[in-house]
Structures are given as structure tokens and as C-alpha cells.
Amino acid sequence: MRVHDLAITKDFQLQDLQRISHKANQFISEIIIEFDYNETRNVIDVKSLLGMLLLPIKKGTTITIKTKGRDEKEAIDFLCELIENYKQ
């Protein structure tokens, strides 16, 4: 299992979440995001667009990305880079 923490520096829009979910589906590994929201620990399956849309990932949130599977290193590296690019 691979784990990486990221601080979100902008609010994600619908198209951002759609793109992240779509790109995550190219990997075999399980990919989840965990973060605290309203004093609750939330876990999202990144490959589930509905899951991504239901829980807001807002500016200032620290998320934990976890990957597990055959291509976990490639998945976490790709996803971290994808999310970090949204900082611009």
C-alpha cells in the first residue's frame, strides 16, 4: 500500500472531479482519498464519480491518497501529480 498526504489549494469544480475519477479508472489498483469534513473522517473511492461528487474537497483540506494493488506506485504518482497540477 502507498500513502501520500496533499494539501488542497483550490476548490475542485465538477469537471475537475470528473477528470480525476476518469483518469483513476485506468489503473487496476484500489485508489481512495481520505479527509476530515464536518468532524467526520470521509473515505472516497476515487474511481466512483458519484462518490467524488457527494463529498466536497475544498480549499484548505488535507487529503490522504491511498493506493493498493499491482500498479499502486504508478497510480499514486499519477494521481498526486494530477491533483497538484490543479493548484495552478
Side-chain angles (χ1 to χ4, degrees):
M1 176 180 283
R2 306 282 175 149
V3 179
H4 188 79
D5 292 328
L6 285 175
I8 303 302
T9 59
K10 75 167 229 172
D11 290 340
F12 284 94
Q13 303 299 317
L14 173 64
Q15 62 271 20
D16 299 331
L17 298 173
Q18 288 174 325
R19 182 170 181 227
I20 291 167
S21 182
H22 177 73
K23 295 287 187 179
N25 276 292
Q26 70 185 353
F27 296 99
I28 297 167
S29 296
E30 174 185 355
I31 306 170
I32 62 169
I33 291 177
E34 294 181 356
F35 65 99
D36 293 323
Y37 180 73
N38 287 340
E39 300 179 18
T40 305
R41 188 71 173 167
N42 295 285
V43 179
I44 301 172
D45 177 353
V46 178
K47 294 180 182 182
S48 167
L49 180 56
L50 182 57
M52 294 286 286
L53 296 176
L54 289 176
L55 292 171
I57 300 174
K58 300 286 185 185
K59 180 179 180 178
T61 303
T62 298
I63 63 171
T64 301
I65 302 172
K66 294 182 179 182
T67 59
K68 183 176 181 180
R70 277 194 332 208
D71 56 357
E72 63 189 32
K73 182 179 180 344
E74 294 83 2
I76 202 165
D77 289 346
F78 181 82
L79 199 60
C80 288
E81 182 177 328
L82 185 63
I83 291 173
E84 287 172 344
N85 284 337
Y86 283 116
K87 292 179 180 180
Q88 302 173 359

